[in-house]
Amino acid sequence: VASVVYLLLIKRHTDNSNGANMMAHVMHGLPELVEHIVQVKQSSVQYKWEIECFHFETVNRDQRHHSHATEAGKREKKKVVTNRVKKQGTINAVDVSPPFIPHTTCPLTQLTTKVDLDFSQSNYLESKENWMASNRSDSQQTESSSEKVSDLQESILVEWVSGTKPWWMRCGWAYAFMCCMLQPCWRLGLDARTNTQQFTFSKNCLEVAS
């Protein structure tokens, strides 16, 4: 049991560190990264709305008591879904992101990106509420909505020169170093070759595309 717990702690530690996050997506060289940055800046915003309408009914449920071989009625509440709808679409947007200046002081860069959406000039929030209201057809509802830029990669390991990433930085070897109590050595090697950078894309959202 102790070994299993130790391995789980190792996995959690590496998952929360740069080492594990770097395995998500690798880009080679500045041209590939710039192409990705431009693609995200040109991308529109995708949205998804979902609503589930329901109520509860009290029903009788037969419950068998095996020890006495008798049946007794038992009342319980049952969820009854009466409407389930979803909608997906596009929000027109203008990119207002700042210039991207890459950090190339190390052979590898762990780039973390996110997107900031401004709805102050958009009819999106009003359109979403109107759609939700038009589909509320029962006493209770569960509603959800999400917005994303489909081309966005949240975690990228950039090799400024292809092949710079050493073999021991691969995910399997990283766990092997942890299991052998060599985590400090692995970490020193990682920090010596890698720097981190964060970049936020900014988009002013406009009309919901019809």
Side-chain angles (χ1 to χ4, degrees):
V1 175
S3 300
V4 173
V5 172
Y6 175 67
L7 290 175
L8 289 174
L9 290 174
I10 288 173
K11 186 179 187 301
R12 180 179 179 181
H13 174 79
T14 53
D15 285 347
N16 291 332
S17 68
N18 288 340
N21 291 333
M22 280 192 258
M23 313 306 167
H25 192 85
V26 180
M27 292 188 178
H28 306 280
L30 184 59
E32 183 179 354
L33 177 60
V34 170
E35 181 181 356
H36 172 70
I37 296 293
V38 171
Q39 186 177 19
V40 175
K41 286 186 175 184
Q42 294 176 345
S43 296
S44 56
V45 181
Q46 308 297 317
Y47 70 86
K48 183 178 181 180
W49 303 335
E50 294 183 275
I51 183 171
E52 181 183 80
C53 303
F54 60 93
H55 63 270
F56 288 96
E57 295 180 355
T58 302
V59 298
N60 290 326
R61 178 171 63 89
D62 288 336
Q63 183 179 30
R64 182 179 299 274
H65 299 278
H66 296 284
S67 58
H68 302 288
T70 62
E71 293 184 355
K74 183 179 180 180
R75 300 176 67 82
E76 66 175 13
K77 286 187 175 182
K78 178 183 178 182
K79 179 180 178 180
V80 180
V81 177
T82 55
N83 188 28
R84 185 183 288 116
V85 190
K86 65 180 179 180
K87 182 178 181 180
Q88 302 180 69
T90 301
I91 309 170
N92 297 319
V94 176
D95 188 86
V96 291
S97 303
F100 175 74
I101 302 175
H103 296 174
T104 59
T105 54
C106 290
L108 302 167
T109 294
Q110 171 62 39
L111 176 62
T112 303
T113 64
K114 62 180 182 179
V115 62
D116 181 29
L117 302 177
D118 183 356
F119 293 109
S120 62
Q121 304 176 44
S122 173
N123 68 341
Y124 172 76
L125 298 178
E126 181 182 0
S127 297
K128 180 178 69 172
E129 176 56 30
N130 290 339
W131 183 86
M132 292 292 184
S134 67
N135 286 283
R136 292 173 187 140
S137 57
D138 211 331
S139 59
Q140 298 187 56
Q141 303 86 33
T142 299
E143 303 173 1
S144 65
S145 63
S146 61
E147 305 82 30
K148 68 176 184 178
V149 177
S150 57
D151 295 314
L152 183 70
Q153 293 283 350
E154 295 183 348
S155 183
I156 303 170
L157 174 64
V158 185
E159 290 184 302
W160 299 117
V161 178
S162 184
T164 305
K165 180 180 175 182
W167 58 269
W168 49 265
M169 284 181 62
R170 296 170 187 166
C171 189
W173 285 105
Y175 292 140
F177 272 79
M178 304 304 158
C179 292
C180 295
M181 301 294 190
L182 296 175
Q183 189 264 351
C185 298
W186 181 84
R187 188 73 207 185
L188 286 173
L190 173 68
D191 292 342
R193 292 167 172 80
T194 309
N195 61 8
T196 60
Q197 182 175 1
Q198 296 182 344
F199 184 75
T200 300
F201 295 93
S202 298
K203 292 182 180 288
N204 289 340
C205 296
L206 303 175
E207 301 298 303
V208 176
S210 56

